[in-house]
Amino acid sequence: MISLNRPYLPDQKKVTAYLDRIYSTAHLTNNGPLLRELQERLEDYLGVENLLLVSSGTAALQVAYQALNLTGNTITTPYTFVATASSQKWMGLSPLFSDIDEKTFNLCPDSAHRMMTESVSALVPTHLYGNACYVEDFESLAERHQVKVVYDAAHAFGVKYKGKSLLSWGDASVLSLHATKLFHTVEGGAVVFKSSDTYEQAKDIINFGISVSDGSIGHVGINAKMSEIHAATGLAMLDDINHVIERRVAIYEQYKDALSGCVEFQEMHENATLNGAYAPLLFDSGETRARVQAHLMKNNVGVRHYFSPSLNQLACLCDGHEYDLPVAENISDRVLCIPLYYDLQQKEVLQVIDQVRRAV
Ligand SMILES: *Cc1c(COP(=O)(O)O)cnc(C)c1O
């Protein structure tokens, strides 16, 4: 069986060396030395400031909403992982789903514009499969309506937009560092804040609201801290990240060369770099997608129909709203993700290509 995904395992000796350091100090969590080292190295590697490490990508989203004082409605994409929207509901927000662009699969700035009302406090788009959103359009929309922008950048580790980190756009950009993501700390997440004041507040928010500097309690907080053991895994993996991204992008491009004409690919932003986070294929219909999916599973190729369903079809996220979002519903019916990870062997890539061609 060729699996759909396989987490990257950093060098075991390196991880052990970090664990030895943890054992010698007994500093296990609470802003420890490894966490601070990882935070600095990530800011340096990504080219960002105000990066806060937390316990998961979902917690990172929640902390970003809380730190930015979001209230009422948000406008978000229905075509994403469920946590983009469920994190908003969990924080007492009421997400409104707006349709996506059929080429880029990202939230469409024009549809978002049409849903704008007084009660909206933020836009929450996702850089889906690592594809940069139309960030300039969202920025001007947000300025015109005086709302915040929080990017779910869970898929966008390492992506550069016009030469700068994509994560520097928006009031906050959120990474997931979960084991299945391109760069990971087993479980973990991060927020990159535009404002250093908001960043300082968020440091307290992830520590029960207790001020890191003077111990006073000025916020309602939560425990969203990352442990030293998680930070150790990240530090060991960060040494290898350029190889990981290069290999993943090479596989993605090989798929694209071999399968264009047979299936469609997401249109990637021309001003952004690729990171090889996912390999989504788009078929001509939902029936073709289901047929190919069954064929690949039968022939030992791990695939996943995601993201599906379009989130506007989940009653628990919709507050009784009825949505008609034809593009998101159509794309989510026709899409399938195929294996893409660092350890995927060249002969496996060829096998996947061959099986997709046969099935289509
Ligand atoms: C993985 C993911 C998350 C959640 O991150 P966790 O670290 O698993 O909590 C949120 N949004 C998107 C788009 C994701 O893919």
Side-chain angles (χ1 to χ4, degrees), residues 56-58 61 80-81 83-84 126 152 154-155 176-178 181 188 278:
S56 73
T58 305
L61 286 165
T80 179
F81 182 57
T84 311
T126 300
D152 185 335
H155 305 166
S176 163
L177 307 181
H178 179 259
K181 303 301 202 291
Y278 294 87

Side-chain angles (χ1 to χ4, degrees), residues 247-261:
R247 175 70 187 136
R248 295 182 74 127
V249 170
I251 297 170
Y252 177 81
E253 290 190 325
Q254 198 182 344
Y255 281 147
K256 207 164 170 177
D257 287 345
L259 294 171
S260 290

Side-chain angles (χ1 to χ4, degrees), residues 292-306:
V292 174
Q293 186 175 3
H295 173 92
L296 292 173
M297 295 304 277
K298 208 171 98 217
N299 288 278
N300 298 320
V301 177
V303 289
R304 224 176 123 191
H305 179 205
Y306 68 173

Side-chain angles (χ1 to χ4, degrees), residues 270-329:
E270 60 177 4
N271 292 326
T273 58
L274 298 178
N275 69 354
Y278 294 87
L281 306 181
L282 190 67
F283 298 91
D284 60 5
S285 68
E287 294 84 75
T288 308
R289 188 266 311 148
R291 188 165 52 72
V292 174
Q293 186 175 3
H295 173 92
L296 292 173
M297 295 304 277
K298 208 171 98 217
N299 288 278
N300 298 320
V301 177
V303 289
R304 224 176 123 191
H305 179 205
Y306 68 173
F307 296 93
S308 172
S310 184
L311 299 181
N312 59 294
Q313 295 173 317
L314 292 177
C316 60
L317 295 175
C318 289
D319 291 319
H321 285 272
E322 297 257 346
Y323 291 94
D324 179 26
L325 303 176
V327 184
E329 290 172 22

Side-chain angles (χ1 to χ4, degrees), residues 7-15 18 38 41-42 45 157 182-184 232-248 342-343:
Y8 184 81
L9 293 170
D11 184 76
Q12 201 172 352
K13 287 202 189 71
K14 271 191 198 169
V15 177
Y18 283 117
L38 180 60
R41 279 188 59 194
L42 279 173
Y45 176 79
F157 187 91
L182 184 154
F183 171 76
H184 75 88
T233 319
L235 282 167
M237 181 166 182
L238 196 52
D239 290 342
D240 305 338
I241 193 65
N242 286 335
H243 297 294
V244 171
I245 294 177
E246 271 166 35
R247 175 70 187 136
R248 295 182 74 127
Y342 180 79
D343 289 310

